[in-house]
Amino acid sequence: MTNKIKTDVDAIVIGSGFAGLALIHYLRDAGLSVKVFDKASDIGGTWTWNRYPGAMTDSEGYYYCLAFSKELLQKWTWSQRYPAWEETHRYMHFIADECDMWPHIQLNTAVTNAEYREDSGTWLITTADGEQCTCKYFVSGMGMISEPVIPKIKGMDTFNGPLFHSARWPEGLDYAGKRVAIIGAGATTVQMMPVLAETAGNVTVFHRTPNFILPAMQKPMTPEWEKDIKDNYDDIIEKCRNHVFGMAFDSPVGRNAVDTPEEERQKIFEENWTGSFRWVFETFDDLLADPAANDMASEFIINKMKERIEDPEIAKILAPVVGEYPLFAKRPPLDHGYLEAYSRDNVNLVDIRNREPIVEITETGIRTTENDFEFDIIILATGFRAYTGALEAVTITGVNGQTLADKWETTSKSIMGVCVSGFPNMFTVTGPQAPFANLPTSIEQNAIWIANCIKKMEGDGHSLCTPKQEAEDEWSAHVSEVHVQTLMNQGDKVNSWMMGANIENHEPRVLIYFGGADVYYQKLRESSDAGFPEVSFASIAG
Ligand code: NAP
């Protein structure tokens, strides 16, 4: 028998980004009543928070989308290869409008606590305003790169001007003619700096670890390209589901860099230098698996970077050194003019790793061991507490009063990133130990698994879904086993968020399944076909 205990709503979801929208669609389809809370004043998740100048997708737009409606895929047209945040945000409004999702969404509502109630098998959700709401299923759609990391720098609260994280861009901030500092030089800064530099008085980047920076090579949509995409959307979506990173790429290509003669290898590298992460996947199959191949790719990228950086001293700071760490141990940024922007008179680079570390932030700027810099605005482009941060920012309490933050103190285990033992009737979209992939593809596969799991349970007359400890141990062991075989396991050498190594006083850990998103999606489908053996179903009398 299904749970007769009354709750306010069947499912409560936190987050109205891609995950929230996908969950509304699939959970509603499964016959559930759904309520989505979001602390932001608009839907969009990442695309509402990350409004810094230059913010845009690094996946090509035509497959950075939800695929549940063929009609909507045909109806929407992207204006360029990588849509700017405004366009992606408009797309999300389009989905919400077309699918009548707004009645499910409550904005300006921060969830502070989610508590599992063992006697009824239900969840009690509490918001910052003290509103309380009960549900049978609690689902996180809070995003895997959404909780900002704010570094602790001496004097940070003394600065006289605006100082903020890149994902909290102040509305209407006027930076024209201003002296702007950016602390951090990851994917965010690579997008933001060249755009800021066009209007700001000057921009100074405080730089630590070099990145492998790949060119984006933006281009506008053309009628021919659009027709080609729309004529082939089924294949494109299928391609994403069968790709190791969930992208619509033509790979594997069936050849390895290490087996290819030098001249031919360079030719293939060169011919495929057409922008996006495609280059990593559509040249050779061994770049992320074989250290020698990875070094070959690294060297090619470094040379390409150096060709575009005018000043050799700047190049020394920006470009990694082959062997320092493998390509993809840190997520490579995509560049829309970042390297060239260092040729501008109003752009400066400060090497805080090897030359002049930051000592403190002062009332008027930033003091390093060598200089006193004056600024009007300081931007912290210092990244995110990936995968677990947003979940840990809410007090989520499972059985025996254990919180998720406590459970994940030293390791962050889950079952396929979709549920966690000790937290019945709770589901996560792209939780820890899911793959890192084209997010809408992964999100949709997770939402399908969650909706099918609930449908199966309720169809069988049950009301309680308990993730099994042994399934979690098994999945985590598998994720770790795969992780040590990849080159991404060196992320802890270079503070990579992919291992949680970017967080102070936090043990690096295996956060990502690198066995391939395609393999992972297949595992989700197999789990579904086998009746969800990773969880046990039961009934609670009510
Ligand atoms: P990030 O890649 O983690 O980079 C953070 C930067 O801040 C690094 O350069 C880091 O230096 C520096 N940093 C951190 N703490 C510091 C401190 N205390 N003092 C000085 N420097 C410090 O963060 P992000 O650039 O925001 O990008 C994070 C991820 O978000 C990306 O990898 C990507 O997955 C996603 N993202 C996606 C898009 C897109 O798809 N459109 C755009 C932007 C971001 P170290 O490297 O030395 O630690």
Side-chain angles (χ1 to χ4, degrees):
M1 53 179 261
T2 50
N3 195 347
K4 294 288 186 299
I5 293 170
K6 273 192 86 63
T7 54
D8 298 322
V9 65
D10 292 330
I12 289 183
V13 173
I14 314 185
S16 65
F18 272 100
L21 301 187
L23 285 162
I24 292 175
H25 172 78
Y26 287 103
L27 294 179
R28 194 171 58 179
D29 223 35
L32 305 183
S33 57
V34 186
K35 188 163 188 173
V36 174
F37 289 128
D38 199 312
K39 64 184 174 188
S41 58
D42 202 347
I43 64 165
T46 288
W47 304 105
T48 272
W49 291 108
N50 288 277
R51 293 174 174 225
Y52 57 83
M56 61 175 58
T57 66
D58 278 350
S59 291
E60 291 151 312
Y62 69 94
Y63 54 86
Y64 189 82
C65 54
L66 294 171
F68 60 73
S69 162
K70 288 187 184 192
E71 190 194 332
L72 295 185
L73 286 173
Q74 292 298 324
K75 207 164 170 183
W76 181 264
T77 298
W78 296 103
S79 70
Q80 50 188 356
R81 187 178 189 182
Y82 311 93
W85 73 262
E86 295 94 330
E87 188 172 357
T88 306
H89 194 247
R90 268 201 309 281
Y91 165 77
M92 297 175 84
H93 270 250
F94 161 77
I95 294 289
D97 291 345
E98 291 281 333
C99 302
D100 195 21
M101 291 180 171
W102 292 102
H104 298 276
I105 300 168
Q106 184 174 323
L107 298 168
N108 299 305
T109 307
V111 171
T112 54
N113 292 71
E115 188 188 338
Y116 177 64
R117 303 187 304 176
E118 292 184 47
D119 55 343
S120 60
T122 61
W123 283 83
L124 174 67
I125 308 301
T126 306
T127 73
D129 292 339
E131 186 186 347
Q132 293 201 311
C133 196
T134 56
C135 59
K136 291 198 269 182
Y137 311 111
F138 165 54
V139 192
S140 165
M142 288 189 274
M144 46 146 291
I145 309 181
S146 49
E147 188 64 22
V149 169
I150 310 292
K152 292 188 184 72
I153 303 175
K154 190 179 158 204
M156 245 167 59
D157 51 352
T158 63
F159 183 61
N160 282 333
L163 180 154
F164 53 88
H165 190 273
S166 54
R168 297 290 180 272
W169 193 267
E171 205 176 332
L173 178 76
D174 179 12
Y175 58 87
K178 302 274 169 62
R179 300 162 299 176
V180 180
I182 306 177
I183 300 179
T188 296
T189 296
V190 170
Q191 289 189 337
M192 172 168 60
M193 185 276 267
V195 182
L196 287 181
E198 282 169 20
T199 316
N202 59 61
V203 181
T204 303
V205 176
F206 290 81
H207 184 281
R208 232 161 47 177
T209 312
N211 278 295
F212 291 99
I213 298 179
L214 295 164
M217 301 198 191
Q218 178 70 290
K219 57 181 180 185
M221 183 61 68
T222 60
E224 299 73 36
W225 191 18
E226 185 192 343
K227 182 175 183 320
D228 188 44
I229 289 167
K230 291 190 174 169
D231 285 352
N232 294 291
Y233 242 136
D234 286 351
D235 292 345
I236 289 167
I237 299 302
E238 203 45 33
K239 233 184 218 182
C240 290
R241 292 178 186 157
N242 288 306
H243 184 261
V244 284
F245 273 67
M247 307 270 192
F249 293 170
D250 291 318
S251 60
V253 287
R255 61 179 173 235
N256 285 332
V258 292
D259 303 327
T260 307
E262 162 79 17
E263 200 177 324
E264 194 186 335
R265 190 171 62 237
Q266 292 302 321
K267 188 166 169 272
I268 291 169
F269 275 153
E270 194 63 58
E271 281 172 0
N272 283 278
W273 196 248
T274 53
S276 109
F277 301 117
R278 283 177 182 279
W279 185 85
V280 178
F281 300 95
E282 294 186 341
T283 49
F284 299 101
D285 295 333
D286 55 348
L287 301 188
L288 301 186
D290 184 321
N294 193 286
D295 281 354
M296 290 165 183
S298 301
E299 190 176 359
F300 187 88
I301 296 170
I302 291 166
N303 289 337
K304 284 287 186 192
M305 284 177 67
K306 287 181 176 167
E307 280 171 18
R308 294 171 50 210
I309 307 168
E310 208 174 36
D311 180 343
E313 287 306 308
I314 300 268
K316 264 193 218 160
I317 301 169
L318 291 181
V321 172
V322 177
E324 182 184 6
Y325 71 91
L327 166 66
F328 252 91
K330 266 173 121 57
R331 192 281 219 175
L334 283 198
D335 177 13
H336 297 259
Y338 174 75
L339 298 177
E340 286 83 358
Y342 282 102
S343 304
R344 296 177 69 114
D345 291 340
N346 69 338
V347 174
N348 311 304
L349 182 64
V350 179
D351 180 355
I352 58 171
R353 181 169 72 150
N354 296 319
R355 292 191 195 160
E356 45 179 312
I358 294 175
V359 175
E360 62 179 333
I361 293 180
T362 65
E363 281 180 21
T364 52
I366 296 176
R367 181 174 299 137
T368 66
T369 50
E370 303 291 315
N371 285 292
D372 244 324
F373 296 93
E374 294 205 343
F375 296 112
D376 303 306
I377 296 169
I378 298 178
I379 303 164
L380 307 171
T382 43
F384 299 86
R385 188 176 177 112
Y387 284 91
T388 59
L391 283 154
E392 289 171 341
V394 174
T395 304
I396 299 174
T397 311
V399 294
N400 298 326
Q402 189 187 35
T403 65
L404 205 48
D406 281 346
K407 179 179 162 98
W408 285 345
E409 198 180 343
T410 51
T411 54
S412 305
K413 295 181 179 179
S414 80
I415 300 175
M416 298 189 288
V418 284
C419 54
V420 181
S421 77
F423 295 80
N425 283 4
M426 181 186 95
F427 302 94
T428 54
V429 171
T430 61
Q433 306 200 322
F436 176 47
N438 182 38
L439 277 165
T441 313
S442 279
I443 284 168
E444 211 158 359
Q445 297 307 304
N446 281 183
I448 291 169
W449 187 92
I450 293 166
N452 284 344
C453 179
I454 294 173
K455 215 155 62 176
K456 156 89 179 146
M457 172 174 64
E458 294 209 341
D460 289 353
H462 295 304
S463 57
L464 191 63
C465 168
T466 305
K468 293 179 187 166
Q469 182 64 54
E470 59 270 28
E472 184 173 282
D473 292 341
E474 204 177 304
W475 178 252
S476 296
H478 174 57
V479 173
S480 296
E481 196 184 346
V482 171
H483 183 79
V484 292
Q485 292 165 28
T486 71
L487 299 171
M488 279 70 96
N489 70 9
Q490 295 182 44
D492 55 342
K493 277 188 187 172
V494 278
N495 318 326
S496 175
W497 60 257
M498 296 201 286
M499 290 185 66
N502 59 332
I503 301 160
E504 268 180 56
N505 304 320
H506 178 80
E507 244 171 77
R509 60 199 62 195
V510 180
L511 278 179
I512 300 181
Y513 178 58
F514 278 118
D518 50 345
V519 174
Y520 167 79
Y521 304 147
Q522 179 61 27
K523 284 182 188 291
L524 288 174
R525 285 192 292 271
E526 282 166 10
S527 160
S528 194
D529 292 346
F532 305 92
E534 300 82 5
V535 297
S536 58
F537 296 138
S539 299
I540 286 197

